[in-house]
Amino acid sequence: MAGVLVNKHKVTSFDVARVAGVSRSTVSLVLSGSNAVIIAEATKVRVREAAIQLGYTPNSAGRMLASGATKTIGLIISNPELLLVDGFIPPTLYAITKVANEHGYNVLTEGLPDLNNDSAFVDLVSSRRIDGMIVLNPRTHDRQLEALIERNYPVVLMGTINHPKEITVNIPTVADLTQAVNYLYKLGHRKIGHVALSAGGSSATDYRIRVIRLALQKHKLELPEACITYANFSAESGLVAGRELLTRNNGVTAVLAGNDTIAIGLMRAARDLGKRLPEDMSIIGYDDLPLAAYIEPPLTTIRTEPLIQGEIAARLLIDILQGRPLVSRAVDLKSKFIVRGSCKAV
Amino acid sequence: MAGVLVNKHKVTSFDVARVAGVSRSTVSLVLSGSNAVIIAEATKVRVREAAIQLGYTPNSAGRMLASGATKTIGLIISNPELLLVDGFIPPTLYAITKVANEHGYNVLTEGLPDLNNDSAFVDLVSSRRIDGMIVLNPRTHDRQLEALIERNYPVVLMGTINHPKEITVNIPTVADLTQAVNYLYKLGHRKIGHVALSAGGSSATDYRIRVIRLALQKHKLELPEACITYANFSAESGLVAGRELLTRNNGVTAVLAGNDTIAIGLMRAARDLGKRLPEDMSIIGYDDLPLAAYIEPPLTTIRTEPLIQGEIAARLLIDILQGRPLVSRAVDLKSKFIVRGSCKAV
DNA sequence: TTGTAGGCGTTATCAA
DNA sequence: TTGATAACGCCTACAA
């Protein structure tokens, strides 16, 4: 009878109890491994053997209903289309799933369909389908998200909506973007452009523009609107926005791209306009995709460590769910400026 | 009282019944929108209003327990590390999540930790946490997976394990790989190499080598082991395996790469060896990543449509779950050979 | 057309 | 140290 993989007939704790000659409560006590009550070793062994013999696995719905915990965390992806073009989400998802599984949690992935709709996570929460959630790229004025945070619902944000009660893991890349700007300055660049990550109004995009401006000011330089165009995460959008930026006759000799993918589109635009890279145009990316080092020219960029971010977010949430004290309510990670070959002195 | 987003106090169907002046069964009937029984319009309205007023959402655990359905599908990722380096999974995940949500299903993502372990999906299945599952890159000799298929458990494979009872969506790229080989032949290449997707023994890898060999035979050409090296999905592995292939003195002038990412690493290897692209070396990728068109040189490749594959897999599974007849138990999709600029006549 | 009653499989609370 | 018993919240016959 060994080797039973999946049982066709439902076997319940009652069956195990019968075979082991104990009550259902005892079965539950033994199998959930609670240390609250002490149970005779012999009984434990009998129960476990019966469970294995019968191929018993506790029914999760029954367990959820009785215990009130789902052992599931929700992963809310604010812009699911980014899965198609951006490199940040997949490693994040990997890290979160890994940590969650290690702690006995499952991950339920939910993409938000569009801005106007009632956010799908409201349903997950109120139907008690998840114990808590991690929100990727949270939207700044999401009323429903704010309401959840205000009620102390277990939420960890990857990114920030600047709510006083939020719990967040974030990479404030001030230092690195500044470093990147200084680097370009030292190479002699005086007209620096920016192909933004997405349309203005998004918090990440606006933040980076602010930081770049600040860094340029230290060198008495500016970032006028004429030196910015707005892409939309993808290489294709980088090509379009890049072409616009480079044909504006603004004298730009170096460009900070919103992410590595956009940088690749931008490179294409530059080449299409007859520019040699990096001789005629210096380009800096953002993210450090695994392939950034291998493209031509190897991309100088800013590494944002999605793996580590995801891992920390998951740990934070699980700490909350298990009632452990938090290390910190706002974990700020360090990014890193990676110099490769896509920039050159003027 | 309107605008209640999430209720602190649990509100059950009993409360709704009380407020609406009906019984709990009526509440259930109305809210689950079953057409089995006809209910007076006025009653429906009263129930719905009461539900909204109280901020009632049915408890999913209760529902699962009573109905036996979880409205959740499991997405099993056989090699979760691929999330870090390969471009195929993210769009697949996107498509599956989208279709599932549209049909009222949630998606539970589960990565398989390693080969020796009991596959994690066994637990998902036997604890009745999911109604069915989609398996990405299924492993050829996974006994547990085979057992599930034999018991007619609802599983859709993306890829194949050659089980007579499997339900699968697959892209047999014979035609395109052959076309790619012919294309290189017409350009005058007579020594064609291959940087394989992964170590030999994997079904996708072996399949492609077979197809390439067959195509070459038509031209009286061969693919000896000296002209193959084995990468491991990533650009980095493509660099290493590419370097090995190109330094073997095998006279190779064109290479088929296991995927686009590997192709990018291979390009790096070629450049590092002083080769100009595409003049000194023709390269063909596989997948058509969104950025394949933008790198330098633009990558000639084979498009595998992960979006469409994911969508079909999800539809198939939902059809099964809802008891609809299947269009087909083995959906074969067409890939497409995309000519760009990474190949040149010798 | 609506209400009653029972059951789904587990955990938690007592009492023994 | 173990066992009864009562929730948990919903669905579904079946009866009215």
Side-chain angles (χ1 to χ4, degrees), chain A residues 9-20:
Chain A
H9 324 286
K10 312 191 183 185
V11 20
T12 72
S13 65
F14 183 81
D15 301 311
V16 179
R18 195 169 30 73
V19 171

Side-chain angles (χ1 to χ4, degrees), chain A residues 176-225:
Chain A
D176 302 282
L177 266 176
T178 306
Q179 205 180 335
V181 168
N182 293 346
Y183 173 74
L184 289 176
Y185 185 85
K186 267 189 208 140
L187 289 178
H189 295 278
R190 293 299 177 265
K191 281 282 186 187
I192 295 172
H194 181 47
V195 178
L197 184 63
S198 66
S202 140
S203 73
T205 301
D206 294 350
Y207 165 82
R208 294 188 204 173
I209 293 179
R210 254 193 335 271
V211 173
I212 297 172
R213 285 212 162 107
L214 235 56
L216 286 170
Q217 276 172 18
K218 296 252 167 74
H219 301 292
K220 314 274 182 212
L221 297 179
E222 286 184 332
L223 181 66
E225 273 298 326

Side-chain angles (χ1 to χ4, degrees), chain A residues 13 24 28 56 59 63 66:
Chain A
S13 65
R24 282 149 72 223
S28 169
Y56 168 71
N59 175 301
R63 176 172 276 182

